[in-house]
Amino acid sequence: MNEGDVIAKIREKFGDKVLEAYTPGTRRVSIRVQPEIYKEVVGYVANDLGASFLSCVSGIDRGDSLEVIANLGYSTCILIKTLIPKNNPEIDSLTDILPAADLYEREVHELLGIIFKNHPNPGRTFLPEDWPEGVYPLRKEYVPEHPKPLRRGGKD
Amino acid sequence: MSFEIPIGPQHPIHVEPLMLKLKVEGELIVDVDIDVSYIHRGIEKALELRSYPQGLFLAERICGICNCAHSLCYCLNIEQLLGKEAPPRAKYLRVIVEELSRVHSHLLWLGHYFHTLGFETLFMYFWRDRERVMDMLELMTGNRVTTSYNVIGGVRRDITPEIDSKLRRMIEHLRERMKYYEAAIRSEPSLLGRLQGVGLLKPEDAIRLGTVGPHLRASGVKHDVRLDDPYSGHEEIPFNVITYDTCDCYGRVMVRIGEVFESLDMIAYALDHLPSGEYRLKMPPFFKAPVGESLSRVEAPRGELIHYSISDGGTNPFRYRVRTPTLANLASVAAMLKSRGDYEVYIADVPAILGGIDPCICCTARVIITDEGKKTRRITTLTELERYARERGVRM
């Protein structure tokens, strides 16, 4: 299935709820949808379009909102993107339709603070045990501290 | 009576220390929990704070063994973002070094895998031959381990006729050796007993759990990024995708052995058909990338590697996402380690199953065995765990 077919089929099925669809390159498809139908679109791509291999779930801090991207498919990479508000970052978990999402969603949850509803085990997996609660390192407001450079003689 | 056995988190050769909490009944493993929180280095954040040319050096250091795959994936990503393409000669040179590093990674894995199973002779043999490959990497790139060969827009150096002839000699030598090892592994009953039927992963489960690389191909699924999404002249270079339908640890060994042969053939083909011309585009030391996004995929020795970057038009990436193959394969480890129905997993199989995905977890530093019934804790050493594994080998 080529890039154009994927876009046509998703547009046909979901109509206006698909906000944006384009091909950023060869064998790449990018689809932006409303958060309510995000899981439904992923399920449709996985079951009906046959791209049942989930290669990753990523999160991006876009300022006022957070973006979640599910990346599916062996040959054609189908990126399903959705924007959720930063003050209420909740989205449906994909784990019940695609178990591979488990670790990826845990990672996005810890690094960006996105809450995946109905995730089976949202415990800490990636960040160290002593990492403070509520600090999300991949958000733009988090600025890492740089250790002071060592000087000869140990002064400052 | 059930025990909990934590395995990890320290082990010397893998960059991602990992903790597995195994719940066992007798020698059977009934449940497993994974923890990878020990060495989160924040490289994705660090890449946001560096310019594109600086990022290359960091991306290369994500993984020591797959450094070539990471630097290639990074370069492809930034080239896509800039709308540039490496010259044909650079593509072929990239394939040569990529396949050399695949051979070295597979030989390292094979040697280490048999070491954890208690077959020291094969360990010595594989690692001796790996030295030849390391020497070739050093000749071609200037470094044994972190090659720093790929740069944005091409490769760092060209190949000379002297290196060419040495590479061909190495390929001939290694091909003969690998044939011998393959025959030895196929005909060694104690080895087959340790591998066959251990760590079963059915194809449908492998896809469902997002498994990648040789691990996936050993479950009979024909997926290889080089075939499905050719990225560096792989359309022109002939190669076979090795699959095995045994779905067990034996298949994982044989897939990797098969891939070593394929990689050697690819190197020989690339040497024969090396295009002439430039090996590197001229790139400014600092540049801005146009607004956009790009996703690059590379078949690293352990499986599909994904880099995804978003540019806001500045000198640094707005967001850089890396998905390494080991993370993708971890979910399947948890599934393979659980006994269910007729499928039984013993503690002694843990090194074989864990090792099968190539995370190098077998070098577990120490193991705490908690006896829930007696409420006692004792710390065993790696040697003890290995002895467990070996005794099982001897019994068979």
Coordinates of all heavy atoms in Angstrom, one line a residue, chain A residues 3-40:
Chain A
E3 N 1.7 5.6 -0.1 CA 1.3 6.6 0.8 C 0.0 7.2 0.5 O -0.8 7.5 1.4 CB 2.4 7.7 0.8 CG 3.8 7.3 1.1 CD 4.6 6.9 -0.2 OE1 4.0 6.3 -1.1 OE2 5.8 7.1 -0.2
G4 N -0.3 7.4 -0.8 CA -1.6 8.1 -1.2 C -2.8 7.2 -0.7 O -3.8 7.8 -0.3
D5 N -2.7 5.9 -0.9 CA -3.8 5.0 -0.5 C -4.1 5.1 0.9 O -5.3 5.2 1.3 CB -3.4 3.6 -0.9 CG -3.3 3.3 -2.3 OD1 -3.8 4.2 -3.1 OD2 -2.9 2.2 -2.8
V6 N -3.1 5.2 1.7 CA -3.3 5.2 3.2 C -4.1 6.5 3.5 O -5.1 6.4 4.3 CB -1.9 5.2 3.9 CG1 -2.1 5.4 5.4 CG2 -1.2 3.9 3.7
I7 N -3.6 7.6 3.0 CA -4.3 8.9 3.3 C -5.7 8.9 2.8 O -6.6 9.2 3.6 CB -3.5 10.0 2.7 CG1 -2.1 10.2 3.4 CG2 -4.3 11.3 2.7 CD1 -1.3 11.3 2.8
A8 N -5.9 8.4 1.6 CA -7.3 8.3 1.0 C -8.2 7.5 1.9 O -9.3 7.9 2.2 CB -7.2 7.8 -0.4
K9 N -7.7 6.3 2.3 CA -8.6 5.4 3.1 C -8.9 6.1 4.5 O -10.0 6.0 4.9 CB -7.9 4.1 3.4 CG -7.9 3.2 2.1 CD -7.9 1.8 2.5 CE -8.2 1.0 1.2 NZ -7.8 -0.4 1.3
I10 N -7.9 6.7 5.1 CA -8.2 7.3 6.4 C -9.1 8.5 6.3 O -10.0 8.6 7.1 CB -6.9 7.7 7.1 CG1 -6.1 6.4 7.5 CG2 -7.1 8.5 8.4 CD1 -4.7 6.6 8.1
R11 N -8.9 9.3 5.3 CA -9.8 10.4 5.0 C -11.3 9.9 4.8 O -12.2 10.5 5.3 CB -9.3 11.2 3.8 CG -8.3 12.2 4.2 CD -8.3 13.4 3.2 NE -7.2 14.3 3.3 CZ -7.2 15.3 4.2 NH1 -8.1 15.4 5.1 NH2 -6.1 16.0 4.3
E12 N -11.4 8.9 4.0 CA -12.7 8.3 3.7 C -13.4 7.8 5.0 O -14.6 8.1 5.2 CB -12.5 7.1 2.7 CG -13.8 6.6 2.1 CD -13.5 5.3 1.3 OE1 -12.4 5.3 0.7 OE2 -14.3 4.4 1.4
K13 N -12.6 7.2 5.8 CA -13.2 6.6 7.0 C -13.6 7.7 8.1 O -14.6 7.6 8.7 CB -12.3 5.6 7.6 CG -12.6 5.0 8.9 CD -13.4 3.7 8.8 CE -13.6 3.2 10.2 NZ -14.7 2.4 10.5
F14 N -12.7 8.6 8.3 CA -12.9 9.5 9.4 C -13.3 10.9 9.0 O -13.6 11.7 9.9 CB -11.6 9.6 10.3 CG -11.3 8.2 10.9 CD1 -10.4 7.4 10.4 CD2 -12.0 7.9 12.1 CE1 -10.1 6.1 11.0 CE2 -11.7 6.7 12.7 CZ -10.8 5.8 12.1
G15 N -13.3 11.2 7.7 CA -13.8 12.5 7.3 C -13.1 13.7 7.9 O -11.9 13.9 7.9
D16 N -14.0 14.6 8.4 CA -13.5 15.9 8.9 C -12.6 15.8 10.2 O -11.9 16.8 10.5 CB -14.7 16.8 9.3 CG -15.5 17.2 8.1 OD1 -15.0 17.0 7.0 OD2 -16.6 17.6 8.2
K17 N -12.7 14.7 10.8 CA -11.9 14.6 12.1 C -10.4 14.4 11.8 O -9.6 14.6 12.7 CB -12.4 13.4 12.9 CG -13.7 13.7 13.5 CD -14.2 12.5 14.3 CE -15.6 12.9 15.0 NZ -16.3 11.7 15.4
V18 N -10.1 14.2 10.6 CA -8.6 14.2 10.2 C -8.3 15.6 9.9 O -8.8 16.2 8.9 CB -8.4 13.3 8.9 CG1 -7.0 13.3 8.5 CG2 -8.9 11.9 9.2
L19 N -7.4 16.2 10.7 CA -7.1 17.6 10.5 C -6.1 17.9 9.4 O -6.1 19.0 8.8 CB -6.6 18.1 11.9 CG -7.5 17.9 13.1 CD1 -6.9 18.4 14.4 CD2 -8.9 18.6 12.9
E20 N -5.2 17.0 9.2 CA -4.1 17.2 8.3 C -3.5 15.9 7.9 O -3.4 15.0 8.7 CB -3.1 18.1 9.0 CG -1.9 18.5 8.2 CD -0.8 19.1 9.0 OE1 -0.6 18.6 10.2 OE2 -0.1 20.0 8.6
A21 N -3.2 15.8 6.6 CA -2.6 14.5 6.1 C -1.7 14.8 5.0 O -2.1 15.5 4.0 CB -3.7 13.5 5.7
Y22 N -0.4 14.4 5.1 CA 0.5 14.7 4.0 C 1.7 13.6 4.1 O 1.7 12.8 5.0 CB 1.1 16.1 4.1 CG 1.9 16.4 5.3 CD1 3.3 16.4 5.2 CD2 1.3 16.6 6.5 CE1 4.1 16.6 6.4 CE2 2.1 16.9 7.7 CZ 3.5 16.9 7.6 OH 4.2 17.1 8.7
T23 N 2.5 13.6 3.0 CA 3.6 12.7 3.0 C 4.9 13.5 3.1 O 5.3 14.1 2.2 CB 3.6 11.9 1.7 OG1 3.5 12.8 0.6 CG2 2.5 10.9 1.6
P24 N 5.6 13.4 4.3 CA 6.8 14.2 4.5 C 8.0 13.6 3.6 O 9.0 14.3 3.5 CB 7.1 14.1 6.0 CG 6.2 13.1 6.5 CD 5.2 12.7 5.5
G25 N 7.9 12.4 3.1 CA 9.0 11.8 2.3 C 8.5 10.5 1.8 O 7.4 10.1 1.9
T26 N 9.4 9.8 1.1 CA 9.1 8.5 0.5 C 8.8 7.6 1.7 O 9.6 7.5 2.6 CB 10.3 8.0 -0.3 OG1 11.1 9.1 -0.7 CG2 9.8 7.1 -1.4
R27 N 7.8 6.8 1.5 CA 7.3 5.8 2.5 C 7.0 6.4 3.9 O 7.2 5.8 4.9 CB 8.4 4.7 2.6 CG 8.4 3.8 1.4 CD 9.4 2.7 1.6 NE 10.8 3.1 1.6 CZ 11.5 3.3 0.5 NH1 11.0 3.0 -0.7 NH2 12.7 3.8 0.5
R28 N 6.7 7.7 3.9 CA 6.3 8.3 5.2 C 4.9 8.9 5.0 O 4.7 9.6 4.0 CB 7.3 9.4 5.6 CG 8.7 9.0 5.6 CD 9.1 8.3 6.9 NE 10.5 8.0 6.9 CZ 11.1 6.9 6.5 NH1 10.3 6.0 5.9 NH2 12.4 6.7 6.6
V29 N 4.0 8.7 6.0 CA 2.7 9.3 6.0 C 2.5 10.0 7.3 O 2.8 9.4 8.4 CB 1.6 8.3 5.7 CG1 0.3 8.9 5.8 CG2 1.8 7.6 4.4
S30 N 2.1 11.2 7.3 CA 1.8 11.9 8.5 C 0.3 12.3 8.6 O -0.2 13.0 7.6 CB 2.7 13.2 8.6 OG 2.3 14.0 9.6
I31 N -0.3 11.9 9.7 CA -1.8 12.2 9.8 C -2.0 12.9 11.1 O -1.6 12.3 12.2 CB -2.6 10.9 9.6 CG1 -2.5 10.5 8.2 CG2 -4.0 11.1 10.0 CD1 -2.7 9.0 8.0
R32 N -2.6 14.0 11.1 CA -3.0 14.7 12.4 C -4.5 14.5 12.6 O -5.3 14.8 11.7 CB -2.6 16.1 12.4 CG -2.8 16.8 13.7 CD -2.4 18.3 13.6 NE -1.0 18.5 13.1 CZ 0.1 18.3 13.9 NH1 -0.1 18.0 15.2 NH2 1.3 18.5 13.4
V33 N -4.8 14.0 13.8 CA -6.3 13.8 14.1 C -6.6 14.4 15.4 O -5.8 14.9 16.1 CB -6.6 12.3 14.1 CG1 -6.3 11.6 12.8 CG2 -5.8 11.6 15.2
Q34 N -8.0 14.5 15.6 CA -8.4 15.0 16.9 C -8.2 13.9 18.0 O -8.3 12.8 17.7 CB -9.9 15.3 16.8 CG -10.2 16.5 16.0 CD -11.7 16.8 15.8 OE1 -12.5 16.0 16.2 NE2 -12.0 17.9 15.2
P35 N -7.9 14.4 19.2 CA -7.5 13.4 20.3 C -8.6 12.4 20.5 O -8.3 11.3 20.9 CB -7.2 14.3 21.5 CG -7.6 15.7 21.1 CD -7.7 15.8 19.7
E36 N -9.9 12.7 20.3 CA -11.0 11.8 20.7 C -10.9 10.5 19.8 O -11.2 9.4 20.2 CB -12.4 12.4 20.5 CG -12.6 13.7 21.2 CD -12.1 14.9 20.5 OE1 -12.7 15.2 19.4 OE2 -11.2 15.6 21.0
I37 N -10.4 10.7 18.5 CA -10.4 9.5 17.7 C -9.0 9.0 17.5 O -8.8 8.0 16.7 CB -11.0 9.9 16.3 CG1 -10.2 11.0 15.6 CG2 -12.5 10.3 16.4 CD1 -10.4 11.0 14.1
Y38 N -8.0 9.4 18.2 CA -6.7 9.0 18.1 C -6.5 7.4 18.2 O -6.0 6.8 17.3 CB -5.8 9.7 19.2 CG -4.5 9.0 19.5 CD1 -3.4 9.2 18.7 CD2 -4.3 8.3 20.7 CE1 -2.2 8.6 19.0 CE2 -3.1 7.7 21.0 CZ -2.1 7.9 20.2 OH -0.9 7.3 20.5
K39 N -7.1 6.9 19.2 CA -7.0 5.4 19.4 C -7.8 4.7 18.3 O -7.3 3.7 17.8 CB -7.6 5.1 20.8 CG -7.4 3.7 21.2 CD -7.9 3.4 22.6 CE -7.8 1.9 22.9 NZ -8.4 1.7 24.2
E40 N -8.9 5.3 17.9 CA -9.7 4.6 16.9 C -9.0 4.6 15.6 O -9.0 3.5 14.9 CB -11.0 5.5 16.7 CG -12.2 4.7 16.3 CD -13.4 5.6 16.1 OE1 -13.6 6.5 16.9 OE2 -14.1 5.5 15.1

